[in-house]
PDB file of all heavy atoms in Angstrom:
ATOM      1  N   GLY A 214      75.716  85.867  80.617  1.00 91.00           N
ATOM      2  CA  GLY A 214      74.355  86.155  80.925  1.00 91.00           C
ATOM      3  C   GLY A 214      73.699  84.908  81.544  1.00 91.00           C
ATOM      4  O   GLY A 214      74.256  84.020  82.222  1.00 91.00           O
ATOM      5  N   ALA A 215      72.311  84.916  81.480  1.00 92.00           N
ATOM      6  CA  ALA A 215      71.449  83.983  82.041  1.00 92.00           C
ATOM      7  C   ALA A 215      71.869  82.552  81.893  1.00 92.00           C
ATOM      8  O   ALA A 215      71.835  81.644  82.847  1.00 92.00           O
ATOM      9  CB  ALA A 215      69.997  84.155  81.688  1.00 92.00           C
ATOM     10  N   PRO A 216      72.263  82.045  80.616  1.00 94.00           N
ATOM     11  CA  PRO A 216      72.747  80.736  80.525  1.00 94.00           C
ATOM     12  C   PRO A 216      73.941  80.362  81.343  1.00 94.00           C
ATOM     13  O   PRO A 216      74.044  79.192  81.815  1.00 94.00           O
ATOM     14  CB  PRO A 216      73.084  80.619  78.955  1.00 94.00           C
ATOM     15  CG  PRO A 216      72.310  81.693  78.338  1.00 94.00           C
ATOM     16  CD  PRO A 216      72.305  82.828  79.338  1.00 94.00           C
ATOM     17  N   MET A 217      74.768  81.372  81.631  1.00 96.00           N
ATOM     18  CA  MET A 217      75.860  81.000  82.505  1.00 96.00           C
ATOM     19  C   MET A 217      75.521  80.686  83.953  1.00 96.00           C
ATOM     20  O   MET A 217      76.174  79.848  84.575  1.00 96.00           O
ATOM     21  CB  MET A 217      76.838  82.206  82.509  1.00 96.00           C
ATOM     22  CG  MET A 217      78.111  82.064  83.391  1.00 96.00           C
ATOM     23  SD  MET A 217      79.109  80.630  82.818  1.00 96.00           S
ATOM     24  CE  MET A 217      79.701  81.060  81.255  1.00 96.00           C
ATOM     25  N   LEU A 218      74.381  81.338  84.378  1.00 96.00           N
ATOM     26  CA  LEU A 218      73.904  81.004  85.783  1.00 96.00           C
ATOM     27  C   LEU A 218      73.464  79.570  85.864  1.00 96.00           C
ATOM     28  O   LEU A 218      73.722  78.883  86.920  1.00 96.00           O
ATOM     29  CB  LEU A 218      72.690  81.902  86.153  1.00 96.00           C
ATOM     30  CG  LEU A 218      72.177  81.775  87.545  1.00 96.00           C
ATOM     31  CD1 LEU A 218      73.327  82.125  88.569  1.00 96.00           C
ATOM     32  CD2 LEU A 218      70.988  82.736  87.763  1.00 96.00           C
ATOM     33  N   LYS A 219      72.874  79.016  84.811  1.00 96.00           N
ATOM     34  CA  LYS A 219      72.597  77.565  84.757  1.00 96.00           C
ATOM     35  C   LYS A 219      73.701  76.697  84.818  1.00 96.00           C
ATOM     36  O   LYS A 219      73.813  75.660  85.472  1.00 96.00           O
ATOM     37  CB  LYS A 219      71.729  77.310  83.526  1.00 96.00           C
ATOM     38  CG  LYS A 219      70.381  77.968  83.483  1.00 96.00           C
ATOM     39  CD  LYS A 219      69.624  77.565  82.216  1.00 96.00           C
ATOM     40  CE  LYS A 219      68.263  78.183  82.122  1.00 96.00           C
ATOM     41  NZ  LYS A 219      67.494  77.836  81.037  1.00 96.00           N
ATOM     42  N   GLU A 220      74.891  77.154  84.139  1.00 97.00           N
ATOM     43  CA  GLU A 220      76.083  76.359  84.220  1.00 97.00           C
ATOM     44  C   GLU A 220      76.705  76.425  85.600  1.00 97.00           C
ATOM     45  O   GLU A 220      77.197  75.432  86.102  1.00 97.00           O
ATOM     46  CB  GLU A 220      77.030  77.006  83.182  1.00 97.00           C
ATOM     47  CG  GLU A 220      78.465  76.316  83.219  1.00 97.00           C
ATOM     48  CD  GLU A 220      78.424  74.978  82.525  1.00 97.00           C
ATOM     49  OE1 GLU A 220      77.341  74.578  82.042  1.00 97.00           O
ATOM     50  OE2 GLU A 220      79.477  74.316  82.503  1.00 97.00           O
ATOM     51  N   VAL A 221      76.632  77.644  86.317  1.00 98.00           N
ATOM     52  CA  VAL A 221      77.101  77.684  87.685  1.00 98.00           C
ATOM     53  C   VAL A 221      76.309  76.732  88.592  1.00 98.00           C
ATOM     54  O   VAL A 221      76.944  76.046  89.413  1.00 98.00           O
ATOM     55  CB  VAL A 221      76.943  79.053  88.247  1.00 98.00           C
ATOM     56  CG1 VAL A 221      77.275  79.305  89.715  1.00 98.00           C
ATOM     57  CG2 VAL A 221      77.984  80.038  87.459  1.00 98.00           C
ATOM     58  N   GLN A 222      75.016  76.693  88.420  1.00 98.00           N
ATOM     59  CA  GLN A 222      74.242  75.776  89.230  1.00 98.00           C
ATOM     60  C   GLN A 222      74.580  74.342  88.973  1.00 98.00           C
ATOM     61  O   GLN A 222      74.697  73.552  89.921  1.00 98.00           O
ATOM     62  CB  GLN A 222      72.784  76.143  89.109  1.00 98.00           C
ATOM     63  CG  GLN A 222      71.879  75.073  89.777  1.00 98.00           C
ATOM     64  CD  GLN A 222      70.468  75.579  89.894  1.00 98.00           C
ATOM     65  OE1 GLN A 222      70.226  76.847  89.899  1.00 98.00           O
ATOM     66  NE2 GLN A 222      69.491  74.632  90.184  1.00 98.00           N
ATOM     67  N   ARG A 223      74.793  73.999  87.732  1.00 97.00           N
ATOM     68  CA  ARG A 223      75.113  72.675  87.353  1.00 97.00           C
ATOM     69  C   ARG A 223      76.468  72.187  87.983  1.00 97.00           C
ATOM     70  O   ARG A 223      76.542  71.053  88.455  1.00 97.00           O
ATOM     71  CB  ARG A 223      75.099  72.437  85.894  1.00 97.00           C
ATOM     72  CG  ARG A 223      75.372  71.007  85.412  1.00 97.00           C
ATOM     73  CD  ARG A 223      75.415  70.916  83.899  1.00 97.00           C
ATOM     74  NE  ARG A 223      76.654  71.458  83.430  1.00 97.00           N
ATOM     75  CZ  ARG A 223      77.828  70.867  83.337  1.00 97.00           C
ATOM     76  NH1 ARG A 223      77.936  69.650  83.804  1.00 97.00           N
ATOM     77  NH2 ARG A 223      78.957  71.387  82.844  1.00 97.00           N
ATOM     78  N   ARG A 224      77.431  73.097  88.021  1.00 97.00           N
ATOM     79  CA  ARG A 224      78.713  72.695  88.477  1.00 97.00           C
ATOM     80  C   ARG A 224      78.921  72.890  89.945  1.00 97.00           C
ATOM     81  O   ARG A 224      79.636  72.129  90.536  1.00 97.00           O
ATOM     82  CB  ARG A 224      79.771  73.670  87.802  1.00 97.00           C
ATOM     83  CG  ARG A 224      80.012  73.383  86.289  1.00 97.00           C
ATOM     84  CD  ARG A 224      80.895  74.517  85.665  1.00 97.00           C
ATOM     85  NE  ARG A 224      81.237  74.188  84.269  1.00 97.00           N
ATOM     86  CZ  ARG A 224      82.409  73.568  83.894  1.00 97.00           C
ATOM     87  NH1 ARG A 224      83.316  73.246  84.828  1.00 97.00           N
ATOM     88  NH2 ARG A 224      82.586  73.369  82.623  1.00 97.00           N
ATOM     89  N   PHE A 225      78.266  73.880  90.507  1.00 98.00           N
ATOM     90  CA  PHE A 225      78.521  74.218  92.010  1.00 98.00           C
ATOM     91  C   PHE A 225      77.267  74.272  92.850  1.00 98.00           C
ATOM     92  O   PHE A 225      77.524  74.424  94.101  1.00 98.00           O
ATOM     93  CB  PHE A 225      79.248  75.516  92.061  1.00 98.00           C
ATOM     94  CG  PHE A 225      80.494  75.597  91.156  1.00 98.00           C
ATOM     95  CD1 PHE A 225      80.576  76.188  90.025  1.00 98.00           C
ATOM     96  CD2 PHE A 225      81.653  74.925  91.654  1.00 98.00           C
ATOM     97  CE1 PHE A 225      81.688  76.280  89.208  1.00 98.00           C
ATOM     98  CE2 PHE A 225      82.872  74.937  90.888  1.00 98.00           C
ATOM     99  CZ  PHE A 225      82.846  75.571  89.698  1.00 98.00           C
ATOM    100  N   GLY A 226      76.118  73.928  92.376  1.00 98.00           N
ATOM    101  CA  GLY A 226      74.947  73.753  93.235  1.00 98.00           C
ATOM    102  C   GLY A 226      74.056  74.959  93.306  1.00 98.00           C
ATOM    103  O   GLY A 226      74.506  76.038  92.978  1.00 98.00           O
ATOM    104  N   PRO A 227      72.848  74.759  93.751  1.00 98.00           N
ATOM    105  CA  PRO A 227      71.801  75.773  93.836  1.00 98.00           C
ATOM    106  C   PRO A 227      72.247  76.940  94.775  1.00 98.00           C
ATOM    107  O   PRO A 227      71.766  78.070  94.569  1.00 98.00           O
ATOM    108  CB  PRO A 227      70.545  75.094  94.249  1.00 98.00           C
ATOM    109  CG  PRO A 227      70.972  73.798  94.881  1.00 98.00           C
ATOM    110  CD  PRO A 227      72.304  73.429  94.228  1.00 98.00           C
ATOM    111  N   ARG A 228      72.843  76.622  95.928  1.00 98.00           N
ATOM    112  CA  ARG A 228      73.151  77.660  96.899  1.00 98.00           C
ATOM    113  C   ARG A 228      74.112  78.723  96.274  1.00 98.00           C
ATOM    114  O   ARG A 228      73.983  79.862  96.435  1.00 98.00           O
ATOM    115  CB  ARG A 228      73.707  77.081  98.173  1.00 98.00           C
ATOM    116  CG  ARG A 228      73.945  78.154  99.320  1.00 98.00           C
ATOM    117  CD  ARG A 228      74.216  77.449 100.617  1.00 98.00           C
ATOM    118  NE  ARG A 228      74.677  78.472 101.567  1.00 98.00           N
ATOM    119  CZ  ARG A 228      75.796  78.411 102.269  1.00 98.00           C
ATOM    120  NH1 ARG A 228      76.627  77.483 102.052  1.00 98.00           N
ATOM    121  NH2 ARG A 228      75.977  79.420 103.118  1.00 98.00           N
ATOM    122  N   VAL A 229      75.117  78.205  95.696  1.00 98.00           N
ATOM    123  CA  VAL A 229      76.121  78.963  95.071  1.00 98.00           C
ATOM    124  C   VAL A 229      75.541  79.887  93.963  1.00 98.00           C
ATOM    125  O   VAL A 229      75.693  81.119  93.885  1.00 98.00           O
ATOM    126  CB  VAL A 229      77.327  78.262  94.488  1.00 98.00           C
ATOM    127  CG1 VAL A 229      78.214  79.142  93.615  1.00 98.00           C
ATOM    128  CG2 VAL A 229      78.193  77.625  95.623  1.00 98.00           C
ATOM    129  N   ALA A 230      74.661  79.262  93.209  1.00 98.00           N
ATOM    130  CA  ALA A 230      74.004  79.896  92.001  1.00 98.00           C
ATOM    131  C   ALA A 230      73.108  81.009  92.525  1.00 98.00           C
ATOM    132  O   ALA A 230      72.943  82.062  91.976  1.00 98.00           O
ATOM    133  CB  ALA A 230      73.154  78.990  91.252  1.00 98.00           C
ATOM    134  N   LYS A 231      72.408  80.749  93.709  1.00 98.00           N
ATOM    135  CA  LYS A 231      71.490  81.766  94.332  1.00 98.00           C
ATOM    136  C   LYS A 231      72.349  82.947  94.687  1.00 98.00           C
ATOM    137  O   LYS A 231      71.861  84.220  94.475  1.00 98.00           O
ATOM    138  CB  LYS A 231      70.730  81.185  95.461  1.00 98.00           C
ATOM    139  CG  LYS A 231      69.815  82.142  96.213  1.00 98.00           C
ATOM    140  CD  LYS A 231      69.199  81.568  97.377  1.00 98.00           C
ATOM    141  CE  LYS A 231      68.278  82.576  98.123  1.00 98.00           C
ATOM    142  NZ  LYS A 231      67.681  82.070  99.332  1.00 98.00           N
ATOM    143  N   ILE A 232      73.464  82.772  95.356  1.00 98.00           N
ATOM    144  CA  ILE A 232      74.204  83.983  95.790  1.00 98.00           C
ATOM    145  C   ILE A 232      74.782  84.771  94.573  1.00 98.00           C
ATOM    146  O   ILE A 232      74.766  85.940  94.486  1.00 98.00           O
ATOM    147  CB  ILE A 232      75.440  83.442  96.699  1.00 98.00           C
ATOM    148  CG1 ILE A 232      74.914  82.808  97.956  1.00 98.00           C
ATOM    149  CG2 ILE A 232      76.269  84.694  97.012  1.00 98.00           C
ATOM    150  CD1 ILE A 232      75.912  82.179  98.788  1.00 98.00           C
ATOM    151  N   VAL A 233      75.270  84.005  93.562  1.00 98.00           N
ATOM    152  CA  VAL A 233      75.736  84.658  92.403  1.00 98.00           C
ATOM    153  C   VAL A 233      74.721  85.404  91.658  1.00 98.00           C
ATOM    154  O   VAL A 233      74.903  86.562  91.339  1.00 98.00           O
ATOM    155  CB  VAL A 233      76.331  83.566  91.379  1.00 98.00           C
ATOM    156  CG1 VAL A 233      76.720  84.202  89.999  1.00 98.00           C
ATOM    157  CG2 VAL A 233      77.617  82.915  91.959  1.00 98.00           C
ATOM    158  N   ALA A 234      73.448  84.912  91.601  1.00 97.00           N
ATOM    159  CA  ALA A 234      72.308  85.636  91.030  1.00 97.00           C
ATOM    160  C   ALA A 234      72.066  86.937  91.790  1.00 97.00           C
ATOM    161  O   ALA A 234      71.789  87.945  91.222  1.00 97.00           O
ATOM    162  CB  ALA A 234      71.024  84.724  90.950  1.00 97.00           C
ATOM    163  N   GLY A 235      72.224  86.780  93.172  1.00 96.00           N
ATOM    164  CA  GLY A 235      71.935  87.919  94.027  1.00 96.00           C
ATOM    165  C   GLY A 235      73.045  88.924  93.894  1.00 96.00           C
ATOM    166  O   GLY A 235      72.748  90.104  94.406  1.00 96.00           O
ATOM    167  N   CYS A 236      74.121  88.679  93.392  1.00 96.00           N
ATOM    168  CA  CYS A 236      75.256  89.608  93.255  1.00 96.00           C
ATOM    169  C   CYS A 236      75.369  90.219  91.771  1.00 96.00           C
ATOM    170  O   CYS A 236      76.242  90.931  91.464  1.00 96.00           O
ATOM    171  CB  CYS A 236      76.535  89.010  93.665  1.00 96.00           C
ATOM    172  SG  CYS A 236      76.673  88.584  95.345  1.00 96.00           S
ATOM    173  N   THR A 237      74.366  89.798  90.923  1.00 95.00           N
ATOM    174  CA  THR A 237      74.406  90.196  89.568  1.00 95.00           C
ATOM    175  C   THR A 237      73.365  91.258  89.373  1.00 95.00           C
ATOM    176  O   THR A 237      72.173  91.148  89.569  1.00 95.00           O
ATOM    177  CB  THR A 237      74.017  88.922  88.664  1.00 95.00           C
ATOM    178  OG1 THR A 237      74.949  87.927  88.894  1.00 95.00           O
ATOM    179  CG2 THR A 237      74.051  89.264  87.198  1.00 95.00           C
TER     180      THR A 237
END
Side-chain angles (χ1 to χ4, degrees):
M217 181 59 67
L218 185 61
K219 294 181 180 178
E220 180 71 4
V221 169
Q222 178 163 332
R223 186 182 70 81
R224 287 173 177 262
F225 302 103
R228 183 171 175 237
V229 169
K231 179 182 178 183
I232 298 171
V233 170
C236 293
T237 301

